[in-house]
Amino acid sequence: KTTLADSLIASNGIISTRLAGKVRYMDSREDEQIRGITMKSSAISLHYPHHDGGDYLINLIDSPGHVDFSSEVSTAVRLCDGAIIIVDAVEGVCPQTHVVLRQAWLESIRPCLVINKIDRLITELKCSPMEAYVRLQQILEQINALTGELFAVKVMEDSESSLEKSKEVNKSEADTDENNVYDWSTGLQDIDDSSLYFSPDQGNVVFASAVDGWGFRISDFAAILSKKMGVSQEVMNKTLWGDFYLNSKTKKIMKGAQAKAKKPLFVQVILENLWNLYDAIFIKRDKIQSENIVKSLNLKISVRDSKHTDARVYLCAVCSQWLPLSKAVLSMVCEKLPSPCSVSSERIEKLMGSNSLQFQSLPSNVKEIKEVILHCKSDKDTPVVLHVTKMVSVEKSCLPQNKPKTLTMEEIRHRRAVAKERLLRKNQQTAEENNEVIPDNQGTVATENEPAKISELNDQDPNECPEKNIKKADDEELEERNHEFIAFARIFSGTIKRGDKLYILNYGKDNKASISSNDEVVIGESLVEDTTSENAFEVTDLFLWMGRQLESLDQVPAGNILGIGNLEKHILKSATVSSVPYCPPLMPIPYAVVPIVHVAIEPAHPSDMAKLTNGLRLLNQADPCVETLIHESGEHVVVAAGEVHLDRCLKDLKERFAPGVEISVSEPIIPFRETIIPPPQVDMVNEAIDNNEVQNVARQQEFDKDYPNCEESDDKSIIMHTSDKSCKLVVKTKPLPKSVVKLLDENADIIKSITGSKSIRKDASLPPSADPSSDILLFYKSLKEEFEASGDEWKDVVDRIWCFGPRNYGPNILVNEIPSYNRSSIWNLQQDHSVRLQNDMYQKFDNSIITGFQLATLNGPLCEEPMTGVCFSIKEWTYQQHSAQSKAIIAPEDNLESLSTDNNNAKTELSSSSDERGVQSFTFNSGQLMSAIKDGCRRALLAQPVRLMVPTYKCTIHATSDVLGRVYAVLGRRNGQILSEDMQEGSSIFNIEAVLPVAESFGFPDEIRKKTSGLANPQLIFNNWEVIPADPFWVPTTEEELLHFGEKADSENRARLLVDKIRTRKGLIVQKKIVEH
């Protein structure tokens, strides 16, 4: 992509055409040049005079292709109206192509296709023109199949939502028509999707070789051939690609090339000419034939290029003049991609609204902003709306105000005169020193000035010195930073100018402006003051992105990519900026990659901790994907998307954000999960499992030591007591269905809104349809359907859900199965859950149960990792009545008051009524209940077949047949699992798909390249969480297991090794014998 960008930049004269593909102009970082990959998306503005007479300004953003930097693609897609998707002609459609195309589809931007590196089909694979044509057809079929899949999903979602709405409107009709069957394909047949797909005859496909500087569309050859063959250009556009051929006898274009075993027209008139050109110039290096080809094409090649020793230089000179790449790509962009003035209304509504805040429900003044953005107005009175997607760290030397300015002739003459005077004085001083002529007053001047300076220092006010020193220290701290943050943004409407006052609007936060029911903006006096101080700023610097350089601007109209300075203190990563406070913030950017690789860092010298903390803050702001955390243990943790991304983040931290701080980096910390599975039917040697009482009893005795207040019953339920034995609870666990766990993970945001829905509903300023209850209702129905489809045991579980965990939104549930506790449902948004009935012991200690459950699911019993996919059911919750001599004290009110006064900080008074004994009161500590629930849930998990879950990568490897054995050897050594192996037709390249644990992925790309001498290229994308089948507590007990594994189980238990490794890192107890007799 960067090589292609160089060719487009060279068309504007920014770089030389000879350097296109070599200088990599858009890769401004040193590590980008060394590694040969793009790590940061960068923008540039290009001018293109189209052949229709119009001049176009094209804002081009070069985004990374590596999987670790997919977040940079997400930030770039939000700012664009169209995308150029580049596919390698040899490697074909890769996993990253799927990700990029899906990102473009989610943002509703129109893509175009460039099939690059066609020269490799000629020089490396030695394909014939017909074989190359088949390969190009396969690539188009693959990417169109992916487009069709995305289109089908969208149509079915829209049709399903419209069906749900119609059912709600016509409930009576829906009840009568019970026998109606919904046809899911109805929407696909009604909608025209012909313009969605990539087809050369539509002009949205370019065949190119960026290295050699050539590219073409079908229309380029159609214009030439239509004159020679006497056929209209429209007919040539339709027949140059497809099942058409040229009849050499009749000189007519006929249909049915495949049935008649004829060469397609694309092969006859295009590919064969290209192959002949490469054969003459690059392969055979036939000078005579090369000169004849140049003359027939009416090209003018310089003598330097034609006589160059490198045939590639001569080939580039010929191809770039015959089929200029920049012309083909830029003309396709101007003709096929929409301009900012013709963006679709659907995309604007997507940006301004969400599932919980539909666009139709917005006030009228907000709808006017949509019309302004839709038509990309830049009038004087038009409100300014722009979106910042990331903050870019730029060196101060690259800013326009710090660059050396171009001197005029008068300034040059003045500087020359000053330099001459300086040189003359220096020569005179040298001559005087040689003659040893020293003025008499030299010593007196020195001695007179010295006491004067001392007296000046003594005359200073001592109270003023500390203030000046502090100010001087602050200035020095600012000067130490050799970089500044520039906001990477696009202006959607209006014209931004220096000195404008704008408001920063963050999604999901109070933006100090409320919308009343009469569609008017209401801003109180206090809100105006807060807005001015917190959410408002004055524009001081505007920049135009030009790749490695920045150009200063005074104003920028709508539709352009721009940079804004001095926003470091106002925006963390992304935000919406507008000149009106009632503008709704645009939707947050959906990132395709999840940060999963953790490392703990600390300074080598504790005195540098403040600098390191500040550097982590700057790193978090500079990268849209990285996360910087502080664990409960006090460790500073950096979370990155992959190994390459982590290397770049650590390098930026050391060299740019915390320079001079020596940093110690730990080994990568991989997150794990703890879960349970249904009881296995076979053991480690595939023998049927009988009820192994010996191992169960031994394991149960070991667990009882760690959890003394818990007892395991015969049905695997856990009976737990508080430390004073006054409260008894019974809990049981079972694994959640996989479909339910997936649904909970996908709807984490909706689960979060359940707990906060009450506060949202209290805000009368929001319109009625902004209530998120509609989303919650849809989620409730989906969850209920999944539970009912999983079996009768899950019937009515949804209505009895107590809470979700961990952190109130995780993929674990707590279910209320207490017969005497009719708890209000969490789905009832009208119920205020903060109100508790003080005369009900269940309601009074409800929060204690929830807190204990959250603590247990956040730190599992295996290695203090979060749980996932576990259902905890509270079967019983009783308080035991005791006599006056027992721990639960029964006393008159006076004694109770004195007792509660003494223990007011730690205990809570609980009252219970009895029909016969009257009112009885006793003291009870709610913290004991939290601890009991926490230990009981952890012990209940251990009563079931507990397993460890590891994150995995989906690994796609392109390798030749010669190195397949080495590839499999590396994957086997790293516990990889082969999923598929397909051979590309017409080549010796195999496409291998495998699953690789994230913990085993560090150093994997380098190792596989070394083992295969660079003939295998892996790509790693986060896949999912997988369960390790081995039991962490397994020891050989049966005769078959002892015979196979031995008494000591010499073979490694992978799950146990990982558990011990995690516990050792966290400082937990590890039951491991160092020396055995």
Side-chain angles (χ1 to χ4, degrees), residues 820-1035:
S820 58
Y821 183 22
N822 295 324
R823 187 181 186 274
S824 61
S825 174
I826 62 170
W827 310 105
N828 185 10
L829 301 182
Q830 302 295 336
Q831 176 69 28
D832 192 347
H833 299 293
S834 62
V835 178
R836 301 298 179 193
L837 301 177
Q838 298 300 321
N839 58 354
D840 191 342
M841 67 174 182
Y842 295 122
Q843 292 282 0
K844 193 171 185 179
F845 293 99
D846 188 272
N847 279 333
S848 300
I849 299 291
I850 294 176
T851 304
F853 169 73
Q854 300 295 339
L855 293 173
T857 52
L858 185 61
N859 300 300
L862 284 181
C863 47
E864 302 287 343
E865 292 289 335
M867 300 181 191
T868 184
V870 185
C871 173
F872 294 87
S873 301
I874 305 292
K875 301 285 187 180
E876 182 182 348
W877 182 12
T878 58
Y879 288 87
Q880 299 179 1
Q881 305 281 342
H882 297 282
S883 61
Q885 290 81 14
S886 62
K887 293 183 180 179
I889 302 173
I890 303 173
E893 288 185 358
D894 297 337
N895 296 337
L896 264 177
E897 290 178 0
S898 61
L899 185 65
S900 60
T901 303
D902 296 336
N903 302 299
N904 189 28
N905 294 329
K907 298 187 177 182
T908 306
E909 182 180 350
L910 180 66
S911 299
S912 62
S913 60
S914 177
D915 296 334
E916 299 179 357
R917 300 178 183 178
V919 178
Q920 296 178 349
S921 300
F922 55 88
T923 58
F924 180 74
N925 192 339
S926 60
Q928 294 180 7
L929 185 59
M930 294 182 198
S931 179
I933 286 293
K934 177 185 175 182
D935 293 342
C937 291
R938 289 161 63 100
R939 179 63 181 86
L941 190 81
L942 294 174
Q944 302 293 334
V946 62
R947 295 292 184 268
L948 195 66
M949 297 184 71
V950 296
T952 59
Y953 280 133
K954 183 179 180 182
C955 178
T956 303
I957 305 174
H958 302 280
T960 59
S961 56
D962 301 336
V963 296
L964 281 182
R966 303 175 192 173
V967 172
Y968 293 155
V970 175
L971 285 172
R973 189 162 53 251
R974 291 177 175 265
N975 297 314
Q977 181 182 357
I978 307 295
L979 299 180
S980 64
E981 172 189 311
D982 298 325
M983 185 177 182
Q984 291 184 5
E985 295 184 9
S987 67
S988 60
I989 297 177
F990 283 82
N991 295 330
I992 304 168
E993 289 189 359
V995 174
L996 186 70
V998 175
E1000 304 286 349
S1001 65
F1002 297 98
F1004 172 73
D1006 293 336
E1007 182 183 1
I1008 204 168
R1009 289 191 189 101
K1010 290 177 182 177
K1011 296 292 184 182
T1012 60
S1013 301
L1015 297 178
N1017 184 26
Q1019 287 186 335
L1020 300 175
I1021 298 179
F1022 178 73
N1023 185 27
N1024 55 15
W1025 294 86
E1026 288 199 357
V1027 178
I1028 298 179
D1031 185 358
F1033 301 102
W1034 173 83
V1035 290

Side-chain angles (χ1 to χ4, degrees), residues 551-623:
E551 298 295 335
S552 182
L553 298 174
D554 294 328
Q555 63 180 18
V556 181
N560 288 285
I561 307 294
L562 74 154
I564 308 175
N566 298 326
L567 284 181
E568 177 183 350
K569 297 181 180 179
H570 301 277
I571 298 177
L572 178 61
K573 292 190 177 184
S574 63
T576 304
V577 179
S578 177
S579 59
V580 290
Y582 57 83
C583 173
L586 302 184
M587 292 293 294
I589 302 172
Y591 293 110
V593 67
V594 179
I596 196 170
V597 181
H598 299 59
V599 291
I601 61 174
E602 62 179 3
H605 305 288
S607 59
D608 294 333
M609 179 57 75
K611 292 183 179 179
L612 177 61
T613 305
N614 184 54
L616 290 173
R617 179 186 64 81
L618 298 175
L619 175 64
N620 183 43
Q621 189 173 13
D623 195 293

Side-chain angles (χ1 to χ4, degrees), residues 663-676:
I663 299 173
S664 300
V665 183
S666 70
E667 292 294 325
I669 304 171
I670 307 300
F672 293 88
R673 297 289 184 268
E674 300 179 20
T675 187
I676 56 176

